[in-house]
Amino acid sequence: MEGASFGAGRAGGGFDPVEFLKQPQTILRIISWVFSIVVFGSLVNEGTINVETPELYCIYNQNDDACNYAITIGVVAFFASTGFFVLDIYFPQISSVKDRKKAVMIDMGFSAVWTFLWFVSFCFLSDQWRKTSYPVHQGADAARAGIVFSFFSIFSWCALAVKAMQRYRLGTDMSLFAGDQIGSAPNAGYPGYPTGSGIESTTDTYQSPPFTENMDSSTKGYQVPSY
């Protein structure tokens, strides 16, 4: 089944890069992609310090779980944003309504889950940074960047989940399909009855019913009796 569905045009339509980049969903993808790079990039480069020992620890209260969690969430968000960005480009070319529905549902579910995970990341990093008792000079900006952009990512991924929900609610625009079917044969008449059905239409002239001639001849010789 081909047609407009789930917020995209008819399958096989042309791709306009400028219009695609202007879409709110595309902008949110790029923003989420950048935020994820900032989070895991900052912590990978400057997220570890050594405190009175040569061994390196996480900058967040020497809790390696905090750094590992934020880095993991950021890396997965980076690849997911890239994958969904490519899917958005390919989405109008998907002709199957069922496949479009699956893609939108995956997008909606993943965005909702990652909204929650970014919220956990923000709370986790903020709490560990608050508990950090030793002075931090090098890497402090990276620690703050991880917290701030985890907070920003909550809203960007939440907005993506809302956009996916809106696309899901749009569903399939059946009016286009009905219009195609009606417009394909605008002058087609009502189909006739099949041959041999006993209801064939005919253009023959009307014929007089049987026995009419006999009745006429019999009435000519009839005389009214006299009393």
Side-chain angles (χ1 to χ4, degrees):
M1 184 182 240
E2 296 184 358
S5 61
F6 296 99
R10 292 179 57 85
F15 176 73
D16 188 352
V18 177
E19 292 298 326
F20 174 74
L21 293 175
K22 290 181 179 179
Q23 294 179 3
Q25 180 174 314
T26 304
I27 297 174
L28 289 171
R29 297 270 189 228
I30 297 174
I31 292 175
S32 300
W33 184 74
V34 172
F35 287 172
S36 64
I37 293 176
V38 174
V39 172
F40 79 81
S42 299
L43 298 182
V44 167
N45 292 329
E46 300 180 0
T48 56
I49 58 174
N50 53 348
V51 182
E52 299 178 354
T53 60
E55 188 175 358
L56 294 177
Y57 294 96
C58 177
I59 197 171
Y60 297 106
N61 196 32
Q62 300 184 12
N63 189 346
D64 292 334
D65 292 338
C67 288
N68 293 335
Y69 179 85
I71 292 173
T72 302
I73 297 300
V75 170
V76 175
F78 169 80
F79 286 108
S81 298
T82 305
F84 283 120
F85 185 85
V86 175
L87 179 61
D88 291 340
I89 297 175
Y90 179 72
F91 190 82
Q93 306 302 322
I94 301 176
S95 59
S96 174
V97 176
K98 292 183 179 180
D99 292 340
R100 288 189 176 191
K101 182 178 180 180
K102 291 178 182 178
V104 173
M105 291 180 65
I106 292 173
D107 184 9
M108 181 172 58
F110 187 90
S111 299
V113 171
W114 242 248
T115 300
F116 173 74
L117 294 180
W118 278 121
F119 174 75
V120 174
S121 176
F122 168 72
C123 295
F124 192 14
L125 298 183
S126 300
D127 181 66
Q128 294 301 310
W129 183 246
R130 180 182 60 83
K131 293 179 179 179
T132 302
S133 57
Y134 48 86
V136 177
H137 302 287
Q138 184 179 1
D141 292 338
R144 297 188 185 96
I147 296 173
V148 171
F149 284 93
S150 291
F151 179 75
F152 290 161
S153 296
I154 297 173
F155 297 98
S156 64
W157 283 93
C158 181
L160 285 171
V162 172
K163 294 296 296 182
M165 184 179 297
Q166 291 175 351
R167 294 167 64 194
Y168 181 80
R169 288 181 176 178
L170 285 176
T172 305
D173 187 2
M174 298 302 295
S175 61
L176 289 181
F177 305 143
D180 291 342
Q181 293 176 357
I182 296 174
S184 59
N187 298 324
Y190 185 82
Y193 294 102
T195 304
S197 62
I199 321 179
E200 294 89 357
S201 60
T202 178
T203 58
D204 296 340
T205 58
Y206 178 78
Q207 298 180 356
S208 60
F211 309 110
T212 303
E213 296 180 357
N214 296 335
M215 293 175 63
D216 292 340
S217 61
S218 60
T219 55
K220 289 179 181 179
Y222 177 78
Q223 296 181 357
V224 180
S226 58
Y227 295 97

